Amino acid sequence: MKQSFFSIFILALLLTSCKKDNEQISDQQQNTSSGTLSENEKSDSVATKKEIKESVPPAIQESGFYNAFAIPKDKKKRDSLYTIFSKKYTERERYAILALNRLDSRSKWNSDTLVVPAKIDTTLMSYSPFPMQLDVLSEVKKFVVFSYPIQAYGVYSNGVLVKWGPTSMGKKAAQTTRGLMFANWKKKLAISTVKSEWKLPYNFNIHNTHGIGWHQYDLPGYPASHSCLRLLMKDAIWLYSYADTWILNPGGATKKANGTPVLVFGDYPWGKRKPWRNLLNDPNANNISVEEMTNLIKPHVEKMVAEQTNREKVSDSIQTAKALKVEPTIEEPEASN
């Protein structure tokens, strides 16, 4: 009798235990399906989500040659994203990315999307919209071209592209003069005639009567100047040393020779998508063909070569005149014995 009672008691305990286990499993299933988690599960879930969030790269939409780096409007989110951006890319890489978007570091978030190359070339030459070689310029030793449509400049030496970069040209209400011009005078720090507060480092004038020149100033990602050609500081310094100035007659009232030829052409797509954004769909969207560049330049070649030849003659004559101005020598007295 006792043995029978003990067996029934053990069986009852087992049934109760199984029922509790089943209830716990059932509760967990219900909680999971309803989105309610236990404290341990909550902790694990939060940790997992945090790890995933931290491992997610910047908001880049990969499309092949160029990717889109989305920038949020909220300032705190932008600052947070910049931290990620800084960790992902080196200083030189960031500089190149901003340059491709016609931005400087000061205006780095003046956009909702950055176009980012899949492979970054810090020299920018891999992304040049200008042809690498132009035979039409083979006789022209130095030539600078500014494209309004893509807000970029290019530099050619005897038809070979040696440099290119971003610019911010005249805004719609104060557009930069188009056509062939020549580099005139230069000054390391000029003061704007529009506002005296505007300091223009490495200013190089190309249209004296209109007061147009290239110089360092903010690049906000669109044409924003008062007709001048804004450049990044490094580019302004480089061009300051590269281009030749005019040569004036004694007294400075008249011009004896022109400086480096500069061509400004085209029109910006005002109110439309920024041209460099088109690179996301077509990596060649901004490319200017050899044929187009040749057609633009060919009508000016004769004048450019003539001005170049004249400048060389004037420069040679000045050097010769300087060489002939030999300082009189003072004879040493003979030593006495």
Side-chain angles (χ1 to χ4, degrees):
M1 188 70 178
K2 286 182 181 180
Q3 186 176 0
S4 177
F5 177 79
F6 181 75
S7 298
I8 292 170
F9 178 74
I10 293 297
L11 181 60
L13 284 174
L14 287 172
L15 288 173
T16 302
S17 176
C18 289
K19 183 178 179 182
K20 285 183 178 180
D21 289 341
N22 287 335
E23 286 175 351
Q24 286 178 358
I25 292 171
S26 177
D27 289 342
Q28 287 178 5
Q29 288 176 342
Q30 287 176 5
N31 289 339
T32 302
S33 62
S34 64
T36 304
L37 301 174
S38 65
E39 289 303 315
N40 289 335
E41 287 172 324
K42 282 180 182 178
S43 177
D44 291 341
S45 177
V46 169
T48 304
K49 286 181 180 179
K50 187 176 181 181
E51 288 170 6
I52 292 173
K53 185 177 180 181
E54 289 178 349
S55 66
V56 171
I60 293 181
Q61 176 190 348
E62 298 192 3
S63 60
F65 292 100
Y66 293 94
N67 305 316
F69 189 104
I71 302 171
K73 292 182 180 180
D74 182 75
K75 187 182 182 301
K76 288 185 179 179
K77 290 181 180 179
R78 284 204 314 269
D79 292 342
S80 176
L81 189 62
Y82 183 65
T83 302
I84 299 172
F85 185 69
S86 299
K87 287 180 180 179
K88 184 173 177 64
Y89 302 106
T90 66
E91 184 179 355
R92 292 181 66 190
E93 289 174 336
R94 295 196 301 272
Y95 183 92
I97 292 168
L98 293 175
L100 285 172
N101 290 270
R102 284 38 172 191
L103 297 166
D104 56 15
S105 58
R106 184 176 175 179
S107 309
K108 59 182 174 288
W109 296 139
N110 195 22
S111 177
D112 57 10
T113 304
L114 288 180
V115 175
V116 181
K119 184 177 180 181
I120 299 176
D121 173 11
T122 55
T123 70
L124 297 182
M125 294 304 286
S126 298
Y127 324 117
S128 172
F130 299 101
M132 299 302 292
Q133 177 81 35
L134 285 173
D135 293 338
V136 70
L137 287 170
S138 59
E139 295 182 64
V140 181
K141 292 183 179 180
K142 293 182 179 181
F143 176 75
V144 183
V145 60
F146 281 84
S147 169
Y148 231 120
I150 57 172
Q151 295 293 285
Y153 77 88
V155 182
Y156 286 88
S157 292
N158 292 109
V160 177
L161 183 72
V162 295
K163 189 172 180 62
W164 85 276
T167 183
S168 174
M169 299 167 71
K171 58 186 178 181
K172 195 172 184 179
Q175 297 183 34
T176 307
T177 301
R178 273 70 153 190
L180 179 67
M181 292 167 272
F182 293 87
N184 298 326
W185 53 269
K186 64 181 182 179
K187 193 173 184 180
K188 282 190 176 180
L189 184 60
I191 306 301
S192 173
T193 54
V194 180
K195 282 188 179 181
S196 58
E197 309 94 78
W198 294 347
K199 314 300 180 186
L200 315 175
Y202 298 94
N203 184 70
F204 213 130
N205 181 273
I206 62 172
H207 200 303
N208 200 36
T209 56
H210 290 182
I212 298 172
W214 67 62
H215 54 76
Q216 183 277 329
Y217 208 77
D218 295 351
L219 262 65
Y222 55 87
S225 80
H226 288 77
S227 76
C228 282
L229 308 134
R230 297 181 181 181
L231 299 171
L232 294 170
M233 180 63 85
K234 289 181 181 179
D235 292 353
I237 293 172
W238 191 94
L239 278 170
Y240 189 86
S241 299
Y242 172 85
D244 296 321
T245 60
W246 61 10
I247 300 175
L248 301 177
N249 283 303
T254 55
K255 182 172 57 180
K256 206 168 186 179
N258 276 315
T260 300
V262 183
L263 180 66
V264 179
F265 74 92
D267 194 18
Y268 186 74
W270 310 101
K272 295 182 181 179
R273 189 186 195 193
K274 293 178 180 178
W276 38 97
R277 294 279 184 86
N278 296 326
L279 295 172
L280 295 170
N281 307 112
D282 177 8
N284 299 311
N286 289 175
N287 288 6
I288 308 170
S289 69
V290 172
E291 183 181 7
E292 183 182 353
M293 288 296 294
T294 300
N295 291 336
L296 285 167
I297 296 167
K298 196 171 184 179
H300 305 292
V301 171
E302 186 177 348
K303 181 173 178 59
M304 288 192 292
V305 173
E307 293 292 344
Q308 176 180 279
T309 303
N310 177 59
R311 192 181 192 285
E312 289 173 348
K313 287 179 180 178
V314 170
S315 182
D316 288 343
S317 66
I318 291 172
Q319 293 300 321
T320 302
K322 286 181 178 180
L324 291 173
K325 288 183 179 179
V326 180
E327 292 293 330
T329 56
I330 301 174
E331 294 184 3
E332 293 285 296
E334 292 183 4
S336 58
N337 293 329

